[in-house]
Amino acid sequence: AMDMDIGDVCKKAHLLQNLNLRACRRLTDGCLKPIASLLKRQHVKGIPPLRSLDLGGCSRITEDAFCVVLPLCSSLTSLDLRGCKQLTGRTKELIAKYCPEMQDLTFPPV
């Protein structure tokens, strides 16, 4: 998948609750913008929100870009970030702050 494809999916699938992008190694920070837009749209329209996000192996995603999306992720119960090598303890702290419903977090060794 490429960042543009993710944009198409997030625009059309308003009811998306599980998004699995595992091992999409070509994805960059650009894929986070449409995910953020989807989360905002779901919130504004009162649509059941995204619950599960798997970005395992998406090693090009940077911490700064991911941390911008986190405040929109309060509905997430499952988040897989294994292999996201650019994420540090700062990301983990922000997940704890912004994702109160988190039950299943897979995080790269810090």
Side-chain angles (χ1 to χ4, degrees):
M2 308 229 339
D3 296 339
M4 288 290 289
D5 300 329
I6 304 305
D8 288 342
V9 169
C10 288
K11 271 189 199 124
K12 293 175 181 152
H14 300 294
L15 301 175
L16 200 62
Q17 289 197 289
N18 301 295
L19 185 55
N20 185 335
L21 301 172
R22 175 175 300 201
C24 294
R25 290 182 178 83
R26 291 167 61 196
L27 289 183
T28 65
D29 291 344
C31 79
L32 298 173
K33 283 192 178 109
I35 294 171
S37 297
L38 169 71
L39 289 163
K40 281 182 194 164
R41 209 164 46 248
Q42 287 178 331
H43 179 72
V44 168
K45 294 187 174 181
I47 296 168
L50 192 67
R51 309 294 285 173
S52 172
L53 180 59
D54 188 341
L55 294 171
C58 298
S59 56
R60 292 184 180 192
I61 290 175
T62 66
E63 183 162 68
D64 285 345
F66 189 71
C67 288
V68 168
V69 178
L70 272 175
L72 300 168
C73 292
S74 60
S75 62
L76 285 183
T77 58
S78 175
L79 180 59
D80 192 328
L81 299 169
R82 78 187 82 196
C84 296
K85 301 179 196 115
Q86 299 188 56
L87 305 183
T88 69
R90 176 177 155 232
T91 301
K92 209 168 186 179
E93 286 169 20
L94 289 174
I95 290 168
K97 177 178 178 181
Y98 289 118
C99 306
E101 296 186 41
M102 188 61 60
Q103 295 163 15
D104 182 16
L105 174 63
T106 308
F107 199 81
V110 177

